[in-house]
Amino acid sequence: MIEIKDLHKSYKMGSNSLHVLKGINFKAEEGELVAIMGSSGSGKSTLLNILGMLDVADEGEYILDGVPIKDLNETKAANYRNKFLGFIFQSFNLINYKNALENVALPLYYQRMPRKARQEKALKYLELVGLKDWAHHLPSELSGGQKQRVAIARAMAAEPKVVLADELTGALDSVTSYEVMDLVQKINDQGNTILVVTHEDDIAHMCKRIIHLKDGVIEKDEKVKQVRASEYV
């Protein structure tokens, strides 16, 4: 599903250059739930941005569902993002003046789905995350956990091949974090490929595999016995 070969990324810092990714190699198969861990500055957010086509590597190959991701203009990159990827962010990234239903329907608008079909599908995904009764509430009327559920519903509504989650529990208390991870595990159980950037060890062990980044290289890549979040909910 995802294949990365010898990925390098540097950023200009004045007259100097900061080499952030120093030859990353890994594969994620369809249906995997992978945690990406590393301290601040290890390169995990840069890697996620490249996987999400929000940034481009200087060297190396990135193949997504058999498609080489290379030399894309912004329009083509946006089309691929809409087709292949769903995003979940720590800060939720909901639009404040749109209600939960409208937020979830947004990626379907970019897929040019008719309005009625968009709303029906968005409602279906809100029901999946247990928020059907909150469809017409604004983000300001929702708790942090509810906002993250809306963000998950929005990521899933476009039926992406891969979901990229950046510190999806970072703004939540531990109980709410485990509820959100329970939902993520159930979505993964249905066959969705999910990559989770996290600095929290307990969250990482709710995945099936943990990649440890350090100073721009993969220090360790291990399969782990998955802890089910439902045991803590």
Side-chain angles (χ1 to χ4, degrees):
M1 179 55 68
I2 288 176
E3 189 170 359
I4 293 286
K5 296 180 185 174
D6 199 28
L7 211 67
H8 288 260
K9 180 67 181 179
S10 298
Y11 293 103
K12 286 270 184 272
M13 307 285 284
S15 58
N16 297 319
S17 180
L18 182 64
H19 198 176
V20 181
L21 299 180
K22 303 170 183 172
I24 301 283
N25 293 280
F26 85 94
K27 286 183 183 179
E29 303 295 343
E30 190 168 350
E32 281 203 272
L33 175 52
V34 183
I36 300 173
M37 297 194 78
S39 59
S40 182
S42 61
K44 58 187 190 298
S45 291
T46 300
L47 176 60
L48 201 73
N49 285 340
I50 291 170
L51 292 173
M53 295 181 233
L54 303 169
D55 201 351
V56 290
D58 300 327
E59 293 176 42
E61 289 182 67
Y62 171 23
I63 298 163
L64 175 59
D65 198 33
V67 178
I69 304 302
K70 192 178 180 186
D71 301 329
L72 303 181
N73 61 35
E74 186 45 49
T75 304
K76 201 161 188 182
N79 286 340
Y80 276 159
R81 277 196 295 272
N82 289 337
K83 180 180 176 185
F84 288 119
L85 301 170
F87 295 91
I88 310 167
F89 301 95
Q90 176 179 347
S91 54
F92 318 126
N93 283 23
L94 301 179
I95 296 172
N96 290 330
Y97 59 84
K98 290 186 179 290
N99 65 31
L101 185 72
E102 292 165 333
N103 267 285
V104 175
L106 199 59
L108 306 175
Y109 169 81
Y110 291 116
Q111 289 185 349
R112 297 192 171 92
M113 186 179 284
R115 188 167 182 269
K116 188 167 183 285
R118 281 201 307 269
Q119 290 187 321
E120 286 174 358
K121 197 168 189 185
L123 196 61
K124 173 187 149 188
Y125 277 93
L126 278 175
E127 187 170 16
L128 180 77
V129 300
L131 287 180
K132 186 179 181 182
D133 293 342
W134 295 79
H136 299 289
H137 286 67
L138 293 171
S140 60
E141 299 170 311
L142 303 175
S143 69
Q146 287 172 321
K147 287 178 192 174
Q148 196 56 290
R149 286 170 178 270
V150 173
I152 290 169
R154 180 183 59 190
M156 297 309 303
E159 296 176 355
K161 293 184 180 292
V162 176
V163 176
L164 303 174
D166 191 5
E167 298 284 6
L168 84 165
T169 60
L172 307 174
D173 62 65
S174 57
V175 172
T176 311
S177 295
Y178 296 157
E179 288 173 355
V180 166
M181 282 307 296
D182 182 44
L183 183 57
V184 166
Q185 288 178 335
K186 285 172 179 167
I187 291 167
N188 174 247
D189 291 343
Q190 294 169 11
N192 294 89
T193 308
I194 305 175
L195 272 61
V196 178
V197 165
T198 182
H199 66 275
E200 298 168 277
D201 198 58
D202 55 344
I203 298 299
H205 279 85
M206 290 177 183
C207 299
K208 298 172 180 172
R209 176 179 166 198
I210 304 175
I211 291 172
H212 297 264
L213 284 182
K214 185 175 182 182
D215 299 330
V217 295
I218 293 176
E219 185 182 43
K220 190 160 62 168
D221 182 349
E222 56 179 344
K223 294 211 166 155
V224 293
K225 186 177 188 306
Q226 186 184 38
V227 176
R228 294 300 296 194
S230 56
E231 293 174 22
Y232 298 93
V233 173

